[in-house]
């Protein structure tokens, strides 16, 4: 019995019918049972679903299990540090990259299953519109002020380095700009002729060898926290007022 037949059998069983009717009771294992249950339902009735596991470890296990039955663009994993204090002090760049990738995937059309956990739901996140506004789209032949573009990348959370070897970094030398966005498995090399984008290519971060050319690229932000000047000023005022009140206690 192949996996599609197995999913069909599960979907037609009495286990899934209470969920489809949106009433009744059913008990499933948090990984194997939930994974098979929602994979079968998604196959039969593709739609947007959100699965909230008890913690990040359980969520990752469920996400990896679902990938055995569904395509990578159909399952989205949104993680976060479990401890809010640790999150505030030093968030993992790897987890940040995964969150940004997830936000980018959720913007794409098509039904998806979102897998996450409670501490990730407590995070402040930008609206889809704001995230889209902060995304840079570059096409061959477009005109950009290279200096302004580099400033914009810094504002988006990218780290300026001498050479790119990991995601959320960019490097510039002459008329060449290298950017490693979480949108792609490899970094992007953009060559300018003056202000015009002459070519766009992916390249190997280790060997620095260029790959096939691209007509356009989408550069996702390198942060999921966006505050404009007005919001920063408002935050500073509220923090000052709070400090003054605390002194009187």
């Amino acid at each position: 019995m192949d996996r599609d037949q197995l999913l069909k059998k599960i979907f037609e069983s009495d286990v899934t019918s209470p969920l489809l009717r949106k009433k009744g009771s059913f008990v499933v294992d948090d990984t194997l049972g939930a994974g098979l249950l929602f994979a079968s339902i998604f196959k039969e009735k593709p739609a947007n679903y959100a699965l909230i596991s008890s913690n990040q470890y359980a969520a990752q296990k469920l996400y990896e299990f679902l990938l055995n039955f569904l395509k990578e663009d159909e399952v989205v994993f949104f993680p976060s540090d479990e401890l809010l204090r640790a999150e505030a002090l030093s968030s993992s760049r790897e987890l940040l990259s995964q969150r940004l990738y997830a936000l980018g995937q959720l913007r794409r059309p098509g039904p998806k299953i979102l897998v996450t956990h409670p501490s990730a739901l407590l995070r402040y996140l930008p609206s889809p519109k704001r995230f889209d506004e902060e995304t840079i789209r570059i096409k061959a032949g477009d005109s950009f002020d290279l200096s302004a573009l580099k400033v914009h990348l810094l504002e988006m959370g990218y780290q300026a380095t001498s050479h790119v070897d990991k995601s959320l970094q960019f490097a510039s030398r002459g008329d060449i700009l290298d950017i490693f966005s979480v949108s792609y498995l490899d970094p992007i090399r953009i060559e300018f002729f003056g202000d015009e984008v002459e070519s766009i290519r992916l390249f190997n971060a280790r060997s620095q060898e260029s790959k096939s050319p691209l007509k356009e690229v989408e550069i996702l932000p390198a942060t999921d926290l966006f505050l404009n000047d007005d919001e920063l000023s408002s935050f500073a005022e509220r923090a000052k007022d709070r400090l003054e009140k605390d002194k009187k206690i």
Side-chain angles (χ1 to χ4, degrees):
M1 182 182 296
D2 61 26
R3 68 180 186 181
D4 288 339
Q5 290 175 326
L6 175 61
L7 290 174
K8 183 177 180 182
K9 185 175 181 180
I10 294 171
F11 183 82
E12 292 173 348
S13 70
D14 292 336
V15 175
T16 58
S17 56
L19 182 63
L20 296 175
R21 293 196 304 268
K22 297 185 179 181
K23 60 182 179 180
S25 301
F26 55 91
V27 178
V28 295
D29 172 76
D30 60 352
T31 300
L32 180 63
L36 288 173
L37 180 64
F38 276 91
S40 63
I41 291 174
F42 188 88
K43 286 279 189 179
E44 187 70 20
K45 290 189 175 182
N48 291 323
Y49 300 94
L51 303 184
I52 304 172
S53 296
S54 57
N55 54 55
Q56 181 181 308
Y57 176 72
Q60 184 162 357
K61 281 179 59 181
L62 178 56
Y63 166 73
E64 292 171 352
F65 183 79
L66 284 169
L67 288 179
N68 292 312
F69 302 96
L70 303 175
K71 299 176 183 178
E72 285 192 19
D73 60 351
E74 294 175 332
V75 190
V76 179
F77 176 49
F78 188 82
S80 180
D81 290 328
E82 295 285 358
L83 299 177
L84 294 180
R85 184 179 178 185
E87 175 76 13
L89 293 176
S90 57
S91 178
S92 164
R93 297 286 285 183
E94 181 180 349
L95 287 179
L96 174 60
S97 296
Q98 291 178 339
R99 287 198 300 273
L100 294 170
Y101 178 77
L103 292 175
Q105 288 295 100
L106 291 173
R107 292 168 47 253
R108 299 182 182 277
K112 294 174 178 58
I113 295 180
L114 171 65
V115 183
T116 187
H117 53 101
S119 62
L121 295 177
L122 295 176
R123 290 185 55 82
Y124 170 81
L125 292 174
S127 67
K129 181 181 178 182
R130 184 67 182 277
F131 190 84
D132 194 62
E133 290 173 349
E134 295 295 331
T135 300
I136 301 176
R137 295 168 182 82
I138 301 177
K139 296 181 180 179
D142 283 350
S143 293
F144 282 90
D145 182 323
L146 183 54
S147 297
L149 181 56
K150 289 187 286 186
V151 171
H152 191 185
L153 288 171
L154 289 171
E155 292 173 344
M156 291 170 62
Y158 281 87
Q159 178 185 6
T161 62
S162 57
H163 67 281
V164 169
D165 58 8
K166 61 181 67 174
S167 62
L168 309 183
Q169 293 181 338
F170 79 93
S172 176
R173 58 191 184 282
D175 292 332
I176 297 176
L177 179 64
D178 294 341
I179 310 171
F180 205 157
S181 169
V182 295
S183 317
Y184 304 91
L185 295 176
D186 293 301
I188 303 158
R189 176 160 293 157
I190 305 172
E191 296 187 27
F192 288 82
F193 184 76
D195 289 341
E196 183 179 342
V197 176
E198 189 173 39
S199 68
I200 306 172
R201 292 177 180 272
L202 296 177
F203 70 94
N204 187 296
R206 182 170 299 177
S207 67
Q208 296 292 304
E209 292 181 358
S210 296
K211 297 185 176 182
S212 56
L214 301 174
K215 292 183 179 179
E216 60 181 293
V217 288
E218 184 178 75
I219 311 298
L220 294 181
T223 180
D224 54 4
L225 181 61
F226 305 114
L227 293 173
N228 57 36
D229 292 340
D230 292 338
E231 290 168 332
L232 286 172
S233 298
S234 176
F235 174 78
E237 288 296 326
R238 293 200 304 270
K240 184 178 179 181
D241 291 342
R242 182 72 263 178
L243 181 60
E244 292 298 327
K245 291 178 181 178
D246 290 344
K247 286 180 179 179
K248 298 176 182 178
I249 297 177

